[in-house]
Every structure is written in structure tokens, then in C-alpha cells.
Amino acid sequence: MFRSKTKILQLTVTLTACAFLLVPTILSVLAGVTANYFQGISSGFTLKWVFRVWELYSGSIFLSLWLAIACLISTLVIGLPAAYGLARHPGWLSRILEEFISLPLAVPGLALALALLQLYGSLKGFRASWTFILVGHVLYTLPFMVRSILSVLAAMDLRTLEEGAATLGASPWQRFRDIVVPNAMPGILAGALTVVTLSIGEFNLTWMLHTPYLKTLPVGLADSYASMRLEVASAYTLVFFVLIVPLLMAMQWASARAQRIAQ
Amino acid sequence: MTLRLTNTAKTYPDGTRALMPTELTVDTGEVVSLLGPSGCGKTTLLRIIAGLETPDPGGEIWFDDDNVTAQPVERRNVGMVFQSYALFPNMSVRANIGYGLKMQKLPKPEIEARVTEVLEMCQLEKFSHRSIAALSGGQRQRVALARAIAPRPRLLLLDEPLSALDAALREALRDELAILLHKFQITAIFVTHDQDEAMAIADRVAVMSDGSVVQSGTPEELYRNPTSAFVAGFVGNAMHLKGTSDGKSLTLTGGVLPLDRDGAGQDIFVRAEDVQIDPSGPLQGQVETVTFLGTHYRVGIKGIMPDIVTSIFPGQNAPRTGEVVKVSIKPETLMLLPKSGVGK
Amino acid sequence: MSNRQFVLACLTPLFIFSLAFLALPLVRLFLASGEGESGWAIYLDILRKPRYLNTLWLTVVVSISVTLAALAISTTAGMFLSRNQFRGRGVLLSIMTLPLAFPGVVIGFLIILLGGRQGLINQITPGHVVFAYSVIGLFLGYLYFSIPRVLLTVMAAAEKLDPALEEAARTLGASPYRVVVDVILPGLMPSLIAAGAIAFATAMGAFGTAFTLATNIDVLPMVIYTEFTLSANIAMASALSIVLGIVTWALLLIARSLSGTTVAAGG
């Protein structure tokens, strides 16, 4: 079916790009389960590197999961009412606020981390606790949560639905609970999966904000790349893939669903 | 419940006056229609009654002996059917109808019983567990009505409830709605831009124009005795006969028409069904269009006055296009109304 | 009125959070940039001192090359994948969007596995072929990062493009090449500009990849990092962060006004 020259050229480019993206990933997975990567696959497969990673880094994996959950809760508590407020109160002020909280999407994490460090770095108790990293993660993931919910809310006639509920006797809070939240669910789900995925993979901010006693998964990865043998680094990367790939697929599914609803 | 509005007006922050100071009383069990073209303020008035808009200071809204002016919508106990129905997509038909009862914190068994009763009344039993997305337009309309009446509101408000339906369905549901409203014996206000709808459903029609109620009365009164050119034109499409009147007769391009009243300084209107093609008529014109409408023909005649004069022709052999015809209009069918800039 | 109060109350947590952890820190960052020896002239120093000027140039050149390469590859692949239905299409699409969730550090490591001292290319080719720690490695790392993001933007735009336009051009006698030039590219242009801006901005600010590759190449984020941690030159680190932040923010603002969407930029 790919007869014309253009099609063949397009296919070649596509396949080359796929190979470029896939081959190193496969190498990494293989290296993580190979007994000795220098000797090649012939040295046999083993899970000992994965166990070694578990011994060395399980703490960082749990810290990342814990941070992701805390980040999800924080972005929900802040982002869900905020998205509703922005949807119900459109105007230049809301636009500016939305634009402002989206800054962390554009401004590199390094710059944000420097800013946070300089303002709060001297508060030792805060600086040294996991909540300092959490602030960075919330800062970075919050706009995704807000926008994901906002796009779903903006697509429905929220105002009339709420008026309908109001004529039936529902107070503002009851309307929020019974009408807004259930109908925003696709956006909340997509936003939640995005927040968790991004939080688990966040490095730029975290690297600057972390302390030696608080290493997240990606910080641990950087650490292993710098100081561990290749097999251990690969095994650790493999653990990360196992965690992040299902999340990514769920996130893409949920986002596509939310977008369909928002259209 | 008796609804009473005094001096109720609405001015938007940008200075637009959507509603002029209005007085309106609706008696217990009465179905009143607010009729008018879009932008006449009828929906604003309805939303003020519901509590969805705040009237300008000075206006008062009374439900019987309750002054509800300062009450938020959720405490007024009104039922409202929205133009878009505003059915909650996250709830089933049953949950939608039960929502208002849930807000009243009624015990579960009572909610169930009342929902079932309303479902039966609106012939929705079969659909009770469906989701809103799985309903047709007509079914949605009935769910919206059922949801609004289930909490037994003091007042039922309907905002263009039929306009989202296609023409054939609209006519069928119009009669159904009229029957249901009278069955509920509920005080109701019904906003529409369609005169047929207003006539079919309402006990009393309030015609609105440019933010004020210009005339209110039974459908018959409005049709037979309009007090203004606007009402004559909007209710029943009366035609303005443009000619010169000396008090005893009206002189038109196509002839002279005798008057039985003093028509000096007044605009003269006539309805198409009172314009008769009659070989002995005093007016003469030429047939421009002939439209067959099943039970009758609508004949457009030029040459009688600058605009086309329309006549309803009930017979079998209608005149043909281009034919010259004589036309008569009985003097008592003419409507003599004060001169105004508005009207046709 | 109580409804209005409720809506405003809903915005309060967001307002407090972004004031405390975004607005105030950024103000502090800006003030810190003027607290060095040279005061506010530090922004002139960036342009005067060759070390910083060269860094800026190199960062911009690498970012532009990555942008152009990512646009060329992803537009070709994106148009191919959205215009053809065949077995394995879904697999190809998954492969090309999977790296979306990989942070820069991981991508740096993948490039080392490809072109490092123990890398695949070095093993299967005769001689010593190591490119991971050079500009090429950095370029490939950024490209790895950008291809999925540009691809998604292009495919979303391609799906919105009315196929009837292409068919109309065909019926008017346009060759496939003319269809691309006259119909498809103009239709995709806003999205291409947007995707290009995203690719450029992320390449400018990418830190993780450069960090893992541990290169001696002075790209802007690496210089900010070393100024801050090694030289303790906090004013310069802040000033460079401000410059970098303004450039990337402005670019993404343009991108968003053209396409109306934002693809996850960080990682």
C-alpha cells in the first residue's frame, strides 16, 4: 500500500524516529537484567540488579510515591475549587490569575527552585522537610490540574445547570458538591493522573530542593547514573519505567476522554 | 399562591434597561404567559421572579404575604423549566426528579413515593433509570417539567420550554403541557415568543414590548380588542391599512372603505381573515401570490395600499396570480387604534 | 450575593498558594539578581562577559537546531501516522509518545547507553565512536525530549484539518507536492509555530539531560547551576534565571496564543 516515493520516505523517517526512541529504552531494560553488560547478553539474565536497586533505593521510591499522593491531594484541594471559581467568574482578573499560575509550565524548574531557595532557604525546619519538595511539585503540577478541570467545566453550560439546582433549593455548596464535581470528573481524573505522573518524574526542581536525606526517585536515578555500575543504573531505570509507563498510558486515555467531553 | 410584583425594574451595570418598572399580579392557580419578541424583557422578568436576577432597588416581589425580594433563589421554593432544560447529566431521570426533594431533606421513602407519583403523571415510568443523554427532546422536556413540579413549588416558571423542539413535536407537546399545567392546579408563568403557544396554554397573556407589559388579558381579549398597534400586530398579525381617513371613510389607493366609527387621527388595522374577496367589494387590487395551505388559501393582493394586503380565502377555486379582484372589509372588523410609531 | 462570595472563596486557596510560593519567590529572585557586586549592571555583564555571552549563543544555537530537527521529523511522521491507517500504526504511535513521561535525567542516561563509552554505537562500530558527552549527545537528548511533544501537537492539528480541503485541491488539479505546499503546510502552520516554540523553550531550559551527560558544554541551565552551587555567585545565577525564564515564558505565550494548547513542557 506504500507505493509512492513520498510515502516510502515518510515511512522511513517515522521508523527511524521510532528506532531512535525505542532502541535506547530496550538497551536500558536489557542492561538492567543482564548479569554482565560488558560481556553482553551471553552472560545470562538476572534479577540481582533489581534487588540491589531495591536495597539501595527503596526509600527514594517510597518517598516519590508519598510525594505524588500528597501532591495529588494538594492540587485537588487548591485546584478543584479554583477551576470552578475561574469557570464561574470569567474576566480579565481570572485570565491573569490563570496565566500567572501557569508560569511554572514555561519558566524552567531550575529558576523556580532558585527563587524558592532564596526566599525560604533560611527557614531551616521547612527547608529540611519533605514539604519543601512538595511545594515545588505542587507549584509545577497545579496548572495541569486547574486547566484539565477548567476545560471540562468550560465546555458545559455550568451556569444554567447551577441555576437549575438553585431553583430546586440547592445552596452554593450543595451545587458544587452535587453538580459541579460529578460533572467535572473526567477532567479531575485526567488532571489527577497527569499530576501523579509528572510528580513521580519531576527532577529539575527536586534536584535543587532536596536534601541528602530526602532523595526522590529521579534524584536517586541521577545519583545512580553518576556513581553506580551501569547494570544497577539500568535496573533502577527499569523500575522507573515499570512505574511510569502504565501511569502515562492511563493519563493519555483519561486526557483523550476528557477532551472528547470538552468538545 | 398569589404572586405580586410592584415597581420591579432591572438595569444592567452597563446602563441597559432590560425591564421598565413593572406591576404584575398572578392569582392562585392562574397560568399566565409573558409574550413578546426577543429582547422585550420577558425572560428578565421571569428570572427576577425566580430570584436568578436581582431587581433594581425599590422593586418588591411578594409570594402571598411573604416579601421574597431579598431571598436567594434556593429558598424561594419555585419550580423552573429552563429553555435548555438544564437537566443534570450526572444523574438518572429519577435522581434528577428527586433532587429538589432531597434538598428539602425529606425521608427517603417519601422521596421515592413522590418521584414515582410524578413519573406516572408525566408518563415517564419507562425511562426512570435512563441517563439524560439517552432521552429524546420531548422526553427531556417532560423530565424537566417533572423535576420542577416534584418539590411542589409555590410557583412554576417556564422559560420558552418548547423552543428546543422541532415544529411537529412542539405542537403536540404544547397541548400536553396545557393539560398538565391545569391538572397540577399550580400558579404558573410561561415565557414565550410564540403567540400560538401563549394562546394555547395560558389563561391570561401579558404582552411585553421594550421592557414593559403593554397589555394583559385573556387570549380572546387580546385578539379582539388590542389596545395598541403593537399588540394588534404581534397577536394575530393584524395589517395596518395605510391610507387617509376623514372620520367617515378610509381612502386607499385601491378604493374607499366606509367606517362605522370616527377614525380621524387613528391607525386602522385589519386581520387577514376579515379581508374578503367579493365581486361587489369597494376595493380593487391585483393578485400577487397564492399559497395553498390545506384548509384554505392565503392570497396576497397588491394595489390596494403600498404594502401587500393578505386575504384568507376558504373556498375551492382561488383566484389566480395576476387576476384583478374586488375586495370587501366589514366596517365592524376594523380595529381603530391610537397612532404610534410601532406596528405594521 | 452569597453565591459570589462562595465563588471568591473557591479562589482563595489558589490565590494564597501562588502568592506565597510563586509571586513572592520570583520577586525575591529578581531582587537577588541586583544584590551582587555589579548591582543591576549584572544584566549588562551577561552581554559583556564572553563566558556568559558564549553560553547564551551556544544554548540558542543548540535549541534552534533541535527545534528544526524535531519539526522536520515529527511533522513527517505525524502527517504519515494521521493520514494512513495500517496495522502497527497504534504501536508506532505508542512508541513515539511513550518518552513523554521520561524526565531529562533518564533521557540523558538513554543517550549514554546509545553513544557513551559503553554505548551501543561504540560496540557495534569499529574504532572509538563516543558522542554522548559532546554537543551531539546534548542535541540528541533534547531531540529525544522534543519529538513526542511536537508529534502530538502536529497530529492534533492534522486531525482538525478538513480533508475536504485536500480533496478540493486535488480536484482542481494540484499535484501531491502542491497539496502539501498550498494546503497542508499553511493549515498546520499555527501549530508548527506553536510546537516549535515549545521545543525551543524546553531545549533552552532543559537541565536534567545536560546534568546526566555531565558535559563540559556550557549551556545556560548548567551555567546557572554551577554559578549557584560551585561559585556561590547567587546574583549571576538569579540574573541568568530571570533572563532564561522571560525568554521561555514569552515563547510559550506566543505558542499558546497560536495553538490554544500547552503540551507538558517540563520533566
Side-chain angles (χ1 to χ4, degrees):
Chain A
M1 78 180 268
F2 305 122
R3 250 166 279 159
S4 73
K5 268 186 195 158
T6 5
K7 285 252 167 99
I8 291 169
L9 183 70
Q10 282 181 321
L11 182 64
T12 314
V13 171
T14 309
L15 290 179
T16 312
C18 280
F20 171 56
L21 297 174
L22 189 61
V23 167
T25 316
I26 293 174
L27 288 177
S28 157
V29 171
L30 281 179
V33 291
T34 307
N36 188 325
Y37 189 61
F38 299 100
Q39 293 170 11
I41 297 165
S42 55
S43 63
F45 291 111
T46 174
L47 281 179
K48 77 173 175 186
W49 306 120
V50 177
F51 290 126
R52 182 105 182 89
V53 164
W54 192 252
E55 276 167 39
L56 288 168
Y57 294 110
S58 60
S60 76
I61 297 169
F62 285 121
L63 177 64
S64 267
L65 291 176
W66 166 244
L67 270 173
I69 292 167
C71 184
L72 172 60
I73 294 169
S74 311
T75 49
L76 271 179
V77 167
I78 302 172
L80 177 58
Y84 167 72
L86 292 172
R88 273 311 302 271
H89 209 279
W92 62 272
L93 208 65
S94 296
R95 282 296 305 272
I96 289 179
L97 192 58
E98 193 196 335
E99 201 57 53
F100 185 67
I101 62 151
S102 303
L103 268 183
L105 296 183
V107 175
L110 201 57
L112 291 174
L114 279 188
L116 282 172
L117 275 173
Q118 291 188 40
L119 190 62
Y120 296 109
S122 51
L123 296 175
K124 289 291 173 233
F126 181 39
R127 168 72 183 92
S129 92
W130 62 273
T131 49
F132 196 52
I133 304 176
L134 177 66
V135 163
H137 282 210
V138 173
L139 201 57
Y140 173 55
T141 53
L142 187 59
F144 291 96
M145 179 64 92
V146 170
R147 285 167 172 222
S148 177
I149 300 175
L150 194 54
S151 69
V152 171
L153 289 183
M156 57 187 193
D157 191 357
L158 191 61
R159 206 188 139 87
T160 314
L161 285 181
E162 269 203 66
E163 285 180 351
T167 60
L168 294 166
S171 67
W173 159 246
Q174 286 169 324
R175 281 175 249 160
F176 181 74
R177 187 194 61 195
D178 297 343
I179 310 300
V180 178
V181 174
N183 285 303
M185 227 10 127
I188 296 175
L189 183 65
L193 285 164
T194 310
V195 165
V196 170
T197 311
L198 289 176
S199 170
I200 289 181
E202 211 297 317
F203 175 76
N204 292 355
L205 273 159
T206 319
W207 180 255
M208 302 296 290
L209 301 180
H210 86 279
T211 64
Y213 303 104
L214 290 168
K215 284 184 181 166
T216 65
L217 207 169
V219 170
L221 278 173
D223 187 76
S224 74
Y225 295 157
S227 57
M228 293 288 153
R229 54 183 297 165
L230 193 72
E231 290 87 345
V232 175
S234 293
Y236 197 5
T237 311
L238 176 62
V239 171
F240 174 73
F241 285 162
V242 168
L243 209 57
I244 209 79
V245 168
L247 272 172
L248 176 80
M249 288 160 83
M251 172 188 126
Q252 287 183 324
W253 167 81
S255 303
R257 179 166 155 250
Q259 251 174 26
R260 263 202 316 279
I261 289 164
Q263 266 162 12
Chain B
M1 191 209 75
T2 309
L3 166 76
R4 196 156 49 82
L5 295 186
T6 57
N7 195 29
T8 303
K10 178 72 188 176
T11 313
Y12 283 110
D14 65 354
T16 324
R17 290 212 88 177
L19 188 67
M20 299 297 165
T22 301
E23 316 286 323
L24 183 73
T25 305
V26 181
D27 287 328
T28 310
E30 194 180 22
V31 178
V32 168
S33 171
L34 300 177
L35 173 68
S38 62
C40 72
K42 56 190 192 299
T43 295
T44 306
L45 182 55
L46 192 80
R47 290 173 62 87
I48 289 175
I49 297 168
L52 295 168
E53 304 273 357
T54 327
D56 294 347
E60 281 184 5
I61 303 150
W62 291 81
F63 287 7
D64 286 331
D65 297 327
D66 279 346
N67 183 345
V68 299
T69 319
Q71 264 183 23
V73 46
E74 61 263 30
R75 277 193 244 129
R76 289 196 187 182
N77 193 12
V78 293
M80 183 146 171
V81 177
F82 290 80
Q83 190 168 7
S84 62
Y85 307 142
L87 297 175
F88 309 135
N90 55 311
M91 299 181 196
S92 69
V93 168
R94 230 190 145 82
N96 261 282
I97 297 174
Y99 189 74
L101 300 167
K102 211 170 100 188
M103 291 298 105
Q104 291 180 348
K105 302 212 163 54
L106 295 182
K108 264 225 162 93
E110 192 179 342
I111 296 182
E112 289 302 306
R114 296 246 308 250
V115 170
T116 308
E117 183 192 345
V118 175
L119 280 169
E120 272 169 26
M121 236 185 333
C122 298
Q123 297 163 351
L124 284 164
E125 304 99 312
K126 274 185 290 179
F127 312 106
S128 68
H129 291 287
R130 288 231 189 138
S131 86
I132 296 306
L135 297 181
S136 72
Q139 290 158 354
R140 283 178 202 209
Q141 200 267 334
R142 270 185 285 164
V143 175
L145 182 67
R147 185 180 73 174
I149 56 147
R152 300 195 183 141
R154 296 200 273 182
L155 178 66
L156 181 63
L157 304 168
L158 304 103
D159 185 8
E160 302 260 9
L162 299 170
S163 66
L165 305 170
D166 57 60
L169 195 57
R170 193 155 58 215
E171 219 159 292
L173 279 180
R174 188 178 74 194
D175 300 334
E176 195 179 304
L177 188 61
I179 294 167
L180 276 175
L181 284 183
H182 289 101
K183 194 154 85 183
F184 302 147
Q185 293 187 322
I186 192 172
T187 313
I189 301 181
F190 177 97
V191 158
T192 179
H193 65 272
D194 180 335
Q195 46 146 328
D196 294 336
E197 241 171 71
M199 304 261 183
I201 292 172
D203 302 319
R204 187 156 63 90
V205 178
V207 181
M208 292 187 68
S209 165
D210 291 328
S212 330
V213 175
V214 287
Q215 191 180 353
S216 134
T218 63
E220 291 87 346
E221 274 166 20
L222 289 178
Y223 193 83
R224 302 219 173 100
N225 301 310
T227 56
S228 65
F230 177 80
V231 175
F234 200 77
V235 181
N237 303 318
M239 290 171 284
H240 181 193
L241 293 174
K242 287 170 192 148
T244 47
S245 138
D246 61 0
K248 290 199 191 81
S249 61
L250 176 69
T251 312
L252 297 164
T253 332
V256 179
L257 205 59
L259 296 177
D260 61 351
R261 285 157 287 174
D262 182 6
Q266 298 209 291
D267 278 341
I268 297 172
F269 288 80
V270 71
R271 295 194 195 278
E273 63 263 37
D274 297 324
V275 177
Q276 281 159 358
I277 293 174
D278 170 5
S280 60
L283 304 174
Q284 180 173 312
Q286 191 183 17
V287 175
E288 170 100 344
T289 57
V290 179
T291 314
F292 178 58
L293 292 168
T295 56
H296 59 269
Y297 292 85
R298 192 171 65 219
V299 184
I301 304 160
K302 66 176 179 183
I304 298 178
M305 64 171 186
D307 295 340
I308 300 278
V309 171
T310 309
S311 162
I312 299 294
F313 185 84
Q316 292 290 325
N317 27 24
R320 291 174 192 285
T321 311
E323 217 173 288
V324 174
V325 289
K326 296 268 189 189
V327 167
S328 73
I329 299 172
K330 291 203 181 94
E332 64 269 24
T333 62
L334 291 173
M335 294 177 280
L336 277 57
L337 298 170
K339 269 196 191 300
S340 77
V342 209
K344 300 179 190 178
Chain C
M1 275 304 118
S2 77
N3 188 35
R4 195 185 157 82
Q5 283 159 5
F6 182 77
V7 169
L8 288 178
C10 282
L11 286 168
T12 312
L14 178 77
F15 191 77
I16 294 171
F17 180 84
S18 52
L19 184 72
F21 297 116
L22 188 56
L24 294 178
L26 286 177
V27 170
R28 184 74 196 86
L29 184 72
F30 180 66
L31 293 178
S33 71
E35 283 168 2
E37 285 165 23
S38 37
W40 295 109
I42 196 163
Y43 288 96
L44 286 175
D45 282 355
I46 295 174
L47 298 175
R48 274 197 302 239
K49 294 193 178 166
R51 172 169 150 74
Y52 303 121
L53 194 60
N54 288 343
T55 299
L56 265 181
W57 267 122
L58 181 67
T59 314
V60 168
V61 168
V62 172
S63 302
I64 289 181
S65 334
V66 169
T67 305
L68 294 179
L71 277 177
I73 294 169
S74 296
T75 310
T76 312
M79 282 311 294
F80 180 72
L81 289 176
S82 61
R83 284 286 182 272
N84 294 287
Q85 296 294 334
F86 54 92
R87 274 177 58 173
R89 176 182 175 275
V91 176
L92 290 187
L93 195 57
S94 304
I95 291 172
M96 295 193 81
T97 51
L98 210 58
L100 270 180
F102 297 177
V105 260
V106 171
I107 291 173
F109 180 64
L110 295 181
I111 297 299
I112 291 177
L113 285 176
L114 203 61
R117 276 179 287 274
Q118 305 160 22
L120 178 73
I121 307 287
N122 197 21
Q123 282 169 17
I124 59 171
T125 49
H128 188 66
V129 187
V130 174
F131 53 79
Y133 316 102
S134 69
V135 175
I136 297 173
L138 206 60
F139 170 83
L140 288 178
Y142 290 174
L143 189 61
Y144 197 104
F145 200 85
S146 288
I147 285 177
R149 285 164 177 77
V150 178
L151 183 85
L152 282 185
T153 317
V154 170
M155 286 190 66
E159 264 154 41
K160 281 187 197 134
L161 215 60
D162 186 359
L165 290 180
E166 282 170 54
E167 288 161 6
R170 289 263 169 76
T171 60
L172 293 168
S175 66
Y177 167 75
R178 296 284 345 160
V179 172
V180 170
V181 172
D182 296 335
V183 178
I184 295 178
L185 281 182
L188 290 181
M189 202 42 89
S191 301
L192 292 182
I193 294 172
I198 291 166
F200 185 80
T202 45
M204 286 283 290
F207 169 64
T209 312
F211 182 80
T212 308
L213 293 174
T215 52
N216 299 317
I217 308 155
D218 281 336
V219 283
L220 198 46
M222 284 307 283
V223 170
I224 295 176
Y225 181 67
T226 48
E227 288 289 328
F228 185 74
T229 53
L230 299 178
S231 327
N233 189 350
I234 291 168
M236 185 46 92
S238 305
L240 288 172
S241 297
I242 296 268
V243 170
L244 180 60
I246 289 177
V247 169
T248 49
W249 173 75
L251 277 169
L252 288 175
L253 191 68
I254 297 168
R256 210 148 48 82
S257 66
L258 284 170
S259 76
T261 55
T262 310
V263 179

